[in-house]
Amino acid sequence: MAFEHEIEMDLSKQIPGLCDFGVECFLSGEEMEIGEASYAENGINVILSDKISYNRSPPYVQHELCKNVHYDILSLPTASVIITFYEEPYSVLLRTVHSVLNTAPSAILKEIILVDDFSSRRDLKGKLGYYVKTRLSSKVKLFRMRRQSGLVRARLAGAQRATGSVLVFLDAHCECTSGWLQPLLSRIHQSRSSVVVPLIDVINQKTFEYESDGYGFDIGGFTLDGHFDWHDVPERERERQRRECKDEIEICPTYSPTMAGGLFAISRDYFWEIGSYDEQMDGWGGENLEMSFRIWMCGGTLETIPCSRIGHIFREFHPYSFPNDKDTHGINTVRMAKVWMDDYQELLYMNRPDLRNHPDVGDVTHRKVLRDKLKCKSFEWYMQNIYPEKFIPTRNVQNYGRISAIEDDRFCFDDLQQNIDEPYNLGVYSCYKHDIAPSQLFSYTYNKVLRTERSCATIDDRRSTKYIVMIPCNSDDEVTDTWVHTSFNQFKHEQTGLCIDRKNLDKNLLHAAVCDSLSKTQKWEFQKTKKQSI
Ligand code: UD2
Ligand code: MN
């Protein structure tokens, strides 16, 4: 039998003990080169993955306090683990499946449902089917979509077939660590409207190291251009946890405004009650924020469970694309925003003008009907109660908009398309005339911070030219740099007494200079535009 032979060949490539306990490992010589080439193609070093056992031992990463928690396995609900995949490397996918089988107590693992989203890779066809049939427990079931459907419809197809009381979704490149499943199920058992997320560790895409530094973790937020991002647990939440869990806050369920989307557990009945997914979302992206907002606004909670830890391979790029290179993330995000974000929707379009009136968004009436039926709260309620730390550039500020040189449209503050997740130099560029371009949207807050959605203005005083540098704002909103907008229209830095100046521009970058009330190059004003109704 050809598959039998191929499977034996695959197993013979694996080196027992390689990368066990999640230590990093490397290839050498020619293998290193083909490993690097496979990385360039897949975003994962597949050659290395092929050499690591499907059953490599996970590291021990649970917090000490988790050891003292006892779970009565027989009283826990059962779980259906759903893994959808599209063009995933075969050995990476199988390691995910094996790790679930190795770590989930069989009394609570009802089944593993694999959904192939119409992959074209050869080994994901007959060989995978044969492996599942001949090498894996009958709890593992494999279904195939008849055309490429995107991860939302693939997950829905998996959920429709699930028979366990809890649905556990995983990406196809994960490794579970011991004891990960019980705390998720236990929390749902206690509170059926809790949607729970494990602590997600990083498995290095090149070395397969299971990177877990300590017990700290982040919770989820979002950016106004529609992306998920990570944040420290705010003090507000720590206080709630102190009330809830007393002196065990390190392992206390932690409220999270959003989730990354790939790894979570939800009561099966509750999943359908709360509106499952928007089945018209194609491809990849957007469904995670949609589900996060929906859960909070419609009466559920979204919680990170620190005793449950799972490693995930974060790729730097997607090894797959969608028909006509469609921006499925953007389109799905508009579908989400139209239903859930109320007038905050405008902020998405302000940051993504290309998504306003996008022709491929389609109709969202049925999701609005769902929102009415479930009597969900407003997005404003969500922002005030679930994510009050989130800075909204147009709310509760002294001023916002473009900042232009007085009566000179050639100079507006601009991020010059630099990477805004890192510190960057503030620059100037011709003012965009109509809408506010996202690169030119600035706010001036009541506590005198000059900022964008994510970055706050400061002065780099290490060099002779004192550039204005935008740095990621402190997540606990501690104000360090403050600016006075003077009666001479200068932005004066309170800590140094210097003013923002555009004299002798070098590469369009702004700097700070001794304040001079007569200087024309120090005068700045907020320009209002017609789209400032938000
Ligand atoms: C993150 C989530 C992912 C999903 C995504 C937004 C984590 C760790 N991952 O991106 O689950 O919520 O954000 O959409 O939270 N897949 C399909 N069909 C497709 C495309 C992908 O089945 O058309 C599979 C894919 O093989 C993988 C899963 O869906 O198993 C998620 O895709 P990803 O790993 O490329 O997404 P990721 O981790 O970058
Ligand atoms: Mn993933």
Side-chain angles (χ1 to χ4, degrees):
M1 201 46 204
F3 293 139
E4 188 61 38
H5 178 69
E6 281 183 46
I7 285 172
E8 287 305 323
M9 292 287 287
D10 292 339
L11 293 172
S12 70
K13 273 195 237 165
Q14 298 182 354
I15 303 173
L18 185 71
C19 305
D20 257 3
F21 305 107
V23 300
E24 61 180 346
C25 40
F26 301 94
L27 299 169
S28 59
E30 198 189 332
E31 271 186 343
M32 185 175 85
E33 275 166 41
I34 46 173
E36 277 163 14
S38 79
Y39 173 79
E41 196 183 322
N42 300 283
I44 294 181
N45 187 337
V46 179
I47 306 298
L48 178 57
S49 173
D50 289 349
K51 294 179 83 99
I52 304 171
S53 165
Y54 299 143
N55 295 303
R56 78 153 163 170
S57 320
Y60 197 80
V61 287
Q62 261 191 349
H63 194 283
E64 281 295 308
L65 289 172
C66 303
K67 286 188 196 158
N68 307 331
V69 187
H70 174 74
Y71 302 98
D72 179 8
I73 294 279
L74 296 176
S75 74
L76 291 178
T78 58
S80 294
V81 175
I82 299 168
I83 301 171
T84 73
F85 60 94
Y86 179 55
E87 311 296 24
E88 293 284 343
Y90 174 85
S91 61
V92 174
L93 169 64
L94 281 186
R95 191 169 302 103
T96 308
V97 179
H98 277 267
S99 95
V100 174
L101 291 168
N102 293 342
T103 52
S106 86
I108 46 176
L109 180 66
K110 185 78 189 276
E111 62 202 347
I112 300 179
I113 298 175
L114 301 176
V115 185
D116 172 13
D117 194 10
F118 205 63
S119 305
S120 62
R121 281 178 183 243
R122 208 182 65 86
D123 50 10
L124 295 176
K125 297 187 174 168
K127 185 167 82 170
L128 178 68
Y130 184 81
Y131 186 93
V132 169
K133 215 161 54 205
T134 60
R135 299 297 204 281
L136 294 177
S137 145
S138 58
K139 287 185 179 179
V140 184
K141 295 159 192 162
L142 173 61
F143 297 100
R144 307 208 191 252
M145 302 303 282
R146 264 182 258 142
R147 63 185 71 84
Q148 215 245 314
S149 307
L151 72 90
V152 161
R153 285 187 291 260
R155 281 182 192 162
L156 283 168
Q160 268 145 8
R161 289 169 172 86
T163 57
S165 317
V166 169
L167 308 178
V168 179
F169 293 94
L170 297 181
D171 278 5
H173 32 258
C174 291
E175 289 177 53
C176 303
T177 66
S178 67
W180 68 279
L181 184 56
Q182 295 88 320
L184 300 179
L185 299 183
S186 165
R187 181 65 186 153
I188 291 173
H189 191 47
Q190 265 172 14
S191 147
R192 77 184 284 273
S193 61
S194 291
V195 178
V196 293
V197 181
L199 200 162
I200 306 174
D201 289 310
V202 174
I203 297 176
N204 189 290
Q205 7 29 330
K206 293 180 178 161
T207 66
F208 279 77
E209 179 183 6
Y210 190 107
E211 302 172 359
S212 60
D213 36 74
Y215 302 114
F217 60 91
D218 286 348
I219 56 169
F222 67 93
T223 59
L224 294 169
D225 59 2
H227 286 274
F228 168 88
D229 64 359
W230 298 103
H231 294 273
D232 295 343
V233 180
E235 194 42 43
R236 166 185 62 83
E237 172 59 10
R238 287 293 181 215
E239 268 162 35
R240 190 196 66 83
Q241 291 181 311
R242 262 177 230 121
R243 290 193 299 272
E244 194 82 11
C245 303
K246 308 283 180 287
D247 45 358
E248 297 205 335
I249 63 165
E250 294 101 319
I251 63 163
C252 191
T254 308
Y255 283 180
S256 184
T258 69
M259 66 169 159
L263 287 57
F264 67 98
I266 182 169
S267 141
R268 178 166 55 109
D269 292 342
Y270 189 62
F271 176 75
W272 295 112
E273 248 170 70
I274 195 87
S276 61
Y277 275 121
D278 172 359
E279 79 297 335
Q280 287 178 44
M281 287 193 176
D282 268 333
W284 177 97
E287 93 299 339
N288 47 356
L289 296 186
E290 193 272 345
M291 187 176 250
S292 305
F293 297 156
R294 175 160 46 85
I295 286 165
W296 281 117
M297 289 164 63
C298 310
T301 57
L302 192 52
E303 310 172 14
T304 301
I305 306 295
C307 286
S308 176
R309 289 180 79 146
I310 301 181
H312 168 264
I313 304 180
F314 289 87
R315 293 179 285 217
E316 277 161 17
F317 58 90
H318 284 145
Y320 47 78
S321 61
F322 300 111
N324 310 323
D325 276 328
K326 241 174 137 172
D327 172 15
T328 63
H329 179 279
I331 296 165
N332 293 345
T333 300
V334 178
R335 291 187 63 83
M336 176 281 286
K338 278 177 174 278
V339 180
W340 301 102
M341 288 182 76
D342 303 334
D343 45 355
Y344 282 77
Q345 208 184 137
E346 192 56 39
L347 289 152
L348 171 69
Y349 304 134
M350 202 150 145
N351 282 283
R352 287 288 307 273
D354 59 308
L355 292 179
R356 198 189 285 278
N357 308 320
H358 195 294
D360 296 333
V361 171
D363 185 62
V364 294
T365 311
H366 73 303
R367 300 300 287 178
K368 289 189 170 159
V369 168
L370 171 81
R371 180 174 164 176
D372 285 348
K373 196 185 90 191
L374 295 173
K375 302 196 169 49
C376 307
K377 300 196 174 79
S378 67
F379 199 75
E380 182 66 32
W381 172 88
Y382 168 87
M383 291 302 292
Q384 279 179 16
N385 294 278
I386 308 305
Y387 201 7
E389 295 76 29
K390 177 73 190 155
F391 177 72
I392 300 296
T394 56
R395 304 268 159 123
N396 304 321
V397 293
Q398 295 196 44
N399 219 332
Y400 72 89
R402 285 192 290 254
I403 299 180
S404 155
I406 296 251
E407 286 161 17
D408 194 339
D409 265 358
R410 288 170 306 160
F411 304 103
C412 262
F413 284 15
D414 196 298
D415 68 23
L416 304 176
Q417 314 287 328
Q418 297 166 91
N419 176 4
I420 55 176
D421 293 318
E422 303 282 330
Y424 62 90
N425 290 317
L426 180 62
V428 280
Y429 197 76
S430 309
C431 303
Y432 289 96
K433 288 283 149 48
H434 301 290
D435 291 352
I436 303 176
S439 64
Q440 297 190 344
L441 173 60
F442 288 82
S443 309
Y444 182 51
T445 72
Y446 285 116
N447 42 19
K448 297 185 279 186
V449 177
L450 186 59
R451 63 175 293 174
T452 63
E453 180 190 356
R454 287 177 254 184
S455 308
C456 288
T458 176
I459 295 179
D460 180 2
D461 54 10
R462 291 166 306 178
R463 272 173 275 261
S464 54
T465 310
K466 298 187 175 2
Y467 288 110
I468 310 297
V469 183
M470 302 298 295
I471 55 169
C473 302
N474 241 325
S475 55
D476 51 15
D477 221 33
E478 177 191 316
V479 180
T480 40
D481 290 65
T482 51
W483 303 81
V484 180
H485 201 192
T486 70
S487 49
F488 303 104
N489 291 305
Q490 297 148 308
F491 276 111
K492 182 174 180 183
H493 187 238
E494 287 198 303
Q495 286 70 32
T496 59
L498 299 174
C499 284
I500 298 183
D501 202 322
R502 63 178 172 84
K503 200 163 44 203
N504 308 325
L505 282 177
D506 173 28
K507 299 202 183 78
N508 280 358
L509 300 182
L510 291 166
H511 63 277
V514 174
C515 296
D516 169 5
S517 52
L518 298 176
S519 164
K520 277 204 159 120
T521 55
Q522 291 185 357
K523 294 186 189 305
W524 305 100
E525 65 184 344
F526 273 93
Q527 274 190 348
K528 289 289 175 193
T529 59
K530 53 180 184 180
K531 284 255 162 58
Q532 285 189 348
S533 54
I534 351 150

